[in-house]
Amino acid sequence: MELPKIKILNEYDKRLHMVSKEVTFPLEEKDKKMIEDMIEYLKMSQMDDMIEKYNLRSGWGLSAVQLGVLKRIFVIVDETKEPGVFKNYIVINPKILSHSEEQIYVSEGEGCLSVDRDVEGIVPRYARITVKAQDMDGNPYEIRVREEVSIAFQHEIDHLNGILFVDKIDPKNPFKDSDHMREI
Ligand code: NI
C-alpha cells in the first residue's frame, strides 16, 4: 500500500478557523479523489505495519478543510470488530437533526491529525445524534450515530465550522462539568 499524497494542515493555519462552504453536485473529480485519498490515509493510519512504515499518527476522521479545501465534506473510518475490516462514512453537507440529552466525553481526551501536541482537557459531546447529509452522488440520507462515532461526527462537523476541539477546552478549567457527563 502506498500512502496517499495529502498534506494535513496544522492548527496554526488560518484556514482551519474558517467556515467551509456547502457542496454542490455533481462533485468535481478532484473532490472525489480527495475523498478516496482521505479514506485510504485514515485506514492506513490505523494499521500497525503502515504506522511503522510511514511514521503515522492514527486518525479516525478528516475534514476537507484539513487538506485546505473549504467544502463541507468529512470522512470517518472506523475499524469493525473484525480486524482489518473498516466501515467508512462519507458525509457531505451534514446537519444535526436531533441529539440526545445525555453528554459524554473521551476520558483520555480527543485527538486530531491537525493538532500535534498533547492537550489536557475534555470536550462535552452528545452521546447520540441524528444527522442528515448527502453521499458522493448527492443523494440525501439520514444516519443515527452513537458513542465514539457520535463524538467523531461532532468533532468533524466542528471542523466544517472552523472550530478545533482545543478551542472548546477552557485552559483554566479543562475538566469543567465532567462530573455531569459520562466518560467513555
Ligand atoms: Ni480533527
Side-chain angles (χ1 to χ4, degrees), residues 144-183:
R144 185 156 174 83
V145 288
R146 54 196 79 240
E147 302 299 307
E148 48 278 307
V149 181
S150 175
I151 291 178
F153 267 62
Q154 291 167 78
H155 176 114
E156 299 306 329
I157 290 171
D158 276 349
H159 272 303
L160 305 187
N161 294 322
I163 299 165
L164 299 178
F165 81 94
V166 291
D167 301 334
K168 297 193 143 182
I169 298 171
D170 177 357
K172 292 197 193 71
N173 192 1
F175 296 96
K176 190 163 64 183
D177 298 332
S178 60
D179 44 345
H180 303 303
M181 288 174 264
R182 179 162 54 86
E183 168 182 333

Side-chain angles (χ1 to χ4, degrees), residues 22 72 91-98 129-134 141-143 157:
E22 290 280 316
R72 301 187 81 80
V91 186
I92 302 176
N93 295 333
K95 305 226 167 29
I96 296 178
L97 296 178
S98 63
I129 57 171
T130 302
V131 173
K132 184 177 89 173
Q134 284 167 280
Y141 66 91
E142 269 185 42
I143 184 171
I157 290 171

Side-chain angles (χ1 to χ4, degrees), residues 15 39 45 54 57 66 114 124 127:
R15 285 170 285 182
I39 289 171
S45 84
Y54 292 107
R57 290 173 60 217
Q66 290 178 275
S114 293

Side-chain angles (χ1 to χ4, degrees), residues 105-106 108-112 119 121-125 151 155 165:
Y105 64 92
V106 188
E108 68 266 28
E110 286 184 26
C112 180
V119 180
I122 58 159
V123 182
R125 302 289 190 188
I151 291 178
H155 176 114
F165 81 94

Side-chain angles (χ1 to χ4, degrees), residues 9-182:
L9 304 181
N10 80 33
E11 60 181 311
Y12 306 110
D13 192 293
K14 66 175 190 312
R15 285 170 285 182
L16 283 176
H17 301 279
M18 292 164 68
V19 177
S20 294
K21 291 198 169 62
E22 290 280 316
V23 176
T24 54
F25 292 90
L27 282 188
E28 291 175 44
E29 285 305 316
K30 65 176 186 335
D31 291 334
K32 289 185 191 166
K33 171 79 166 64
M34 173 185 70
I35 290 169
E36 285 165 14
D37 283 351
M38 292 196 297
I39 289 171
E40 183 75 357
Y41 186 96
L42 291 170
K43 197 189 289 181
M44 290 174 72
S45 84
Q46 296 177 41
M47 298 165 66
D48 289 339
D49 48 346
M50 294 298 141
I51 292 171
E52 194 172 330
K53 181 173 176 191
Y54 292 107
N55 190 26
L56 299 176
R57 290 173 60 217
S58 286
W60 262 43
L62 268 176
S63 291
V65 59
Q66 290 178 275
L67 275 56
V69 176
L70 285 151
K71 295 184 181 179
R72 301 187 81 80
I73 300 172
F74 70 79
V75 303
I76 287 168
V77 174
D78 181 23
E79 191 166 20
T80 62
K81 289 191 181 71
E82 206 178 319
V85 179
F86 296 87
K87 177 166 173 48
N88 306 328
Y89 299 86
I90 297 171
V91 186
I92 302 176
N93 295 333
K95 305 226 167 29
I96 296 178
L97 296 178
S98 63
H99 61 77
S100 59
E101 283 292 310
E102 188 188 18
Q103 292 194 305
I104 55 177
Y105 64 92
V106 188
S107 56
E108 68 266 28
E110 286 184 26
C112 180
L113 290 172
S114 293
V115 180
D116 196 6
R117 61 186 167 107
D118 285 326
V119 180
E120 194 176 60
I122 58 159
V123 182
R125 302 289 190 188
Y126 299 117
R128 297 164 295 283
I129 57 171
T130 302
V131 173
K132 184 177 89 173
Q134 284 167 280
D135 67 15
M136 294 247 279
D137 299 315
N139 300 316
Y141 66 91
E142 269 185 42
I143 184 171
R144 185 156 174 83
V145 288
R146 54 196 79 240
E147 302 299 307
E148 48 278 307
V149 181
S150 175
I151 291 178
F153 267 62
Q154 291 167 78
H155 176 114
E156 299 306 329
I157 290 171
D158 276 349
H159 272 303
L160 305 187
N161 294 322
I163 299 165
L164 299 178
F165 81 94
V166 291
D167 301 334
K168 297 193 143 182
I169 298 171
D170 177 357
K172 292 197 193 71
N173 192 1
F175 296 96
K176 190 163 64 183
D177 298 332
S178 60
D179 44 345
H180 303 303
M181 288 174 264
R182 179 162 54 86

